Amino acid sequence: MSGAEEAGGGGPAAGPAGSVPAGVGVGVGVGAGPGAAAGQAAAAALGEAAGPGLPDEAGLAGARQLQLQEAAGDPDAPPKKRLRAAEAAEAAAAAAAAGSGKLEERLYSVLCCTVCLDLPKASVYQCTNGHLMCAGCFIHLLADARLKEEQATCPNCRCEISKSLCCRNLAVEKAVSELPSECGFCLRQFPRSLLERHQKEECQDRVTQCKYKRIGCPWHGPFHELTVHEAACAHPTKTGSELMEILDGMDQSHRKEMQLYNSIFSLLSFEKIGYTEVQFRPYRTDDFITRLYYETPRFTVLNQTWVLKARVNDSERNPNLSCKRTLSFQLLLKSKVTAPLECSFLLLKGPYDDVRISPVIYHFVFTNESNETDYVPLPIIDSVECNKLLAAKNINLRLFLFQIQK
Ligand SMILES: [Zn+2]
Ligand SMILES: [Zn+2]
Ligand SMILES: [Zn+2]
Ligand SMILES: [Zn+2]
């Protein structure tokens, strides 16, 4: 019996031996600095009752000042946050020296996210005392707290925060959408609410691609040069055989994708297929420095008993200090087999959680001696999606198993 087998032998109800379920301990949380990844996806994940309210300006400014001082002097704060905090403190000092700046600038500092100090791009959440957090930072704080096995708290006032304790602040969201913002291409100012359309459809400097991209023209450049380029583009006058070469190259990349889907379809015709909903629950190792990992209760598929384990950032020591978030997982066979069991397996989004995972098929031959796969990546689209999973209490996915028969 391997070490992992012993550790996981506690069964689902008791949890793995020597571990405690994560997320029950209450600690004094210090908000680690989330990245500025706001992300509409994160916002969409939090479709909760909206509750408009106005922040207490004086309290907010004071608390933020406090937070900034703390962060600037906190050697444990992530470098990015320390830097930002230092910059912001400098800017605040300059603004104070110059008296009050323009109304827009003053509003900017009132309406910005109290964690990343950026103006929120999507939903804005507030703690019970009214401190504002952009959706990305809010999700990140909840995910961090889970990684550290602490109750998530507002970085400003330390009150508890959670999806049910915090509500959205529509007034701030609307006010932010009215504030001017600079187009990244032409550098002109627009109300935030109009900026997206401007950058996508109207800006003369936005980056565009040649319409002959489909036959291999690599040109891209500002929109105002597009007509000139397309008139002069050499691609439409290429000969058939030249185009054939270009198309061959493009076909190759499509072929790879097709291979994946074809192999899924051929797996679907196997005699023995099983699938089940799996629920990963958070646990802590009992090391000196505890680590978060996830494990499912035992489940039965293809008449065998299995367990799935998952870990964050490949068990990196302090995953909460990094903005990059990944999950990897391992499939363990818990029952004894009379003959080697060759399987293909893949994890996909289940019916109960909305997360974007690209399908990757893994392969393993299970025997009584070798009954666990290596940790393989769970190909989640990006860190924002990954944080969405970590912020939730449990991770719900669906496992497919295909038994390969000789
Ligand atoms: Zn933020
Ligand atoms: Zn607060
Ligand atoms: Zn523009
Ligand atoms: Zn072209």
Side-chain angles (χ1 to χ4, degrees), residues 74-393:
D74 178 6
D76 290 324
K80 204 170 166 189
K81 180 172 177 179
R82 261 181 294 166
L83 195 68
R84 264 189 191 280
E87 275 170 19
E90 231 168 71
S100 49
K102 271 167 62 185
L103 175 65
E104 280 127 55
E105 281 152 26
R106 298 205 309 274
L107 282 178
Y108 181 102
S109 62
V110 170
L111 300 175
C112 69
C113 164
T114 56
V115 182
C116 66
L117 307 176
D118 274 337
L119 274 193
K121 292 181 190 70
S123 314
V124 177
Y125 290 84
Q126 63 177 20
C127 79
T128 45
N129 290 321
H131 297 125
L132 303 174
M133 287 158 272
C134 70
C137 287
F138 179 53
I139 283 287
H140 201 118
L141 285 171
L142 296 184
D144 272 353
R146 186 162 310 283
L147 291 172
K148 294 190 284 180
E149 203 193 359
E150 285 170 354
Q151 165 66 46
T153 56
C154 167
N156 294 274
C157 65
R158 307 277 187 260
C159 73
E160 292 188 2
I161 56 170
S162 72
K163 282 188 190 177
S164 51
L165 286 172
C166 299
C167 62
R168 275 172 66 188
N169 188 323
L170 294 185
V172 169
E173 287 173 25
K174 285 178 184 155
V176 167
S177 76
E178 292 300 321
L179 281 178
S181 174
E182 195 173 79
C183 166
F185 304 116
C186 67
L187 308 181
R188 284 164 58 207
Q189 301 247 324
F190 297 89
R192 253 145 234 276
S193 49
L194 301 182
L195 188 67
E196 198 180 320
R197 205 180 77 195
H198 166 81
Q199 290 188 328
K200 241 192 190 146
E201 295 167 18
E202 291 158 1
C203 182
Q204 294 295 304
D205 291 340
R206 71 184 190 272
V207 177
T208 46
Q209 293 184 315
C210 171
K211 70 173 168 190
Y212 301 110
K213 175 179 177 260
R214 286 162 62 82
I215 48 172
C217 178
W219 185 90
H220 57 270
F223 176 74
H224 62 83
E225 288 175 16
L226 183 64
T227 356
V228 180
H229 165 79
E230 284 180 352
C233 182
H235 275 76
T237 56
K238 282 200 189 300
T239 65
S241 59
E242 284 174 314
L243 287 180
M244 287 288 281
E245 264 173 47
I246 296 168
L247 291 176
D248 277 348
M250 295 165 88
D251 282 351
Q252 291 220 332
S253 58
H254 291 306
R255 214 166 291 143
K256 270 203 178 140
E257 210 177 326
M258 282 307 295
Q259 260 168 17
L260 170 72
Y261 291 107
N262 284 335
S263 48
I264 293 178
F265 285 125
S266 61
L267 286 174
L268 287 176
S269 63
F270 276 27
E271 189 189 336
K272 294 198 172 175
I273 301 177
Y275 74 88
T276 187
E277 268 55 81
V278 289
Q279 186 176 65
F280 287 90
R281 296 173 185 168
Y283 296 99
R284 292 265 154 195
T285 60
D286 53 2
D287 302 341
F288 176 61
I289 297 169
T290 65
R291 262 164 228 193
L292 175 75
Y293 68 98
Y294 285 82
E295 187 168 332
T296 67
R298 289 174 180 231
F299 56 89
T300 306
V301 178
L302 299 175
N303 294 323
Q304 308 290 347
T305 309
W306 308 85
V307 161
L308 277 161
K309 291 185 180 183
R311 56 192 195 192
V312 184
N313 289 12
D314 276 321
S315 288
E316 179 189 328
R317 186 160 270 192
N318 290 309
N320 50 301
L321 296 183
S322 144
C323 290
K324 202 179 125 275
R325 289 286 152 78
T326 60
L327 280 172
S328 49
F329 74 98
Q330 181 188 35
L331 178 61
L332 302 91
L333 174 66
K334 288 294 183 187
S335 36
K336 295 279 173 244
V337 284
T338 47
L341 182 66
E342 190 173 355
C343 285
S344 291
F345 59 97
L346 83 159
L347 267 182
L348 290 176
K349 143 185 154 42
Y352 311 119
D353 255 351
D354 190 26
V355 60
R356 288 181 295 153
I357 300 178
S358 3
V360 174
I361 302 165
Y362 294 105
H363 197 84
F364 195 75
V365 183
F366 293 90
T367 63
N368 291 336
E369 294 70 44
S370 156
N371 58 358
E372 49 193 68
T373 68
D374 287 335
Y375 273 90
V376 292
L378 177 62
I380 301 171
I381 304 283
D382 56 29
S383 298
V384 174
E385 285 288 300
C386 192
N387 275 334
K388 256 164 63 181
L389 282 187
L390 294 176
K393 198 158 193 278

